[in-house]
Amino acid sequence: MAAVPSYRELEQRTLGQAASELNAIPQGQVVAAEVQARAAQAQAIATIAAAQALLEIGDVLRERLSRGDD
């Protein structure tokens, strides 16, 4: 059974996916609605990455507080 990835690993993969989505936005003579839709999709993916980063921070804080670290 494969190891479960950390939130940090998931966040990095998700940010990579968001970057790929942004790079895939067509340029030049393109319908504005298509660019807006693709940009919104990339923003949604980046928002998920931000949530994963916050979960990672919460896990680290919880671990340190349970150990009594300052």
Side-chain angles (χ1 to χ4, degrees):
M1 185 170 162
V4 176
S6 69
Y7 288 122
R8 179 174 289 174
E9 292 169 335
L10 290 173
E11 175 261 332
Q12 289 172 348
R13 289 184 205 163
T14 307
L15 279 179
Q17 183 182 356
S20 294
E21 291 291 331
L22 285 174
N23 289 332
I25 294 176
Q27 298 177 357
Q29 297 284 341
V30 184
V31 178
E34 181 179 356
V35 173
Q36 288 175 334
R38 289 183 182 225
Q41 181 180 10
Q43 184 177 7
I45 293 169
T47 301
I48 292 168
Q52 290 166 331
L54 290 172
L55 289 169
E56 172 73 16
I57 291 167
D59 284 353
V60 169
L61 288 174
R62 184 182 311 111
E63 180 183 330
R64 291 198 177 165
L65 289 173
S66 68
R67 290 188 309 187
D69 291 352
D70 291 323

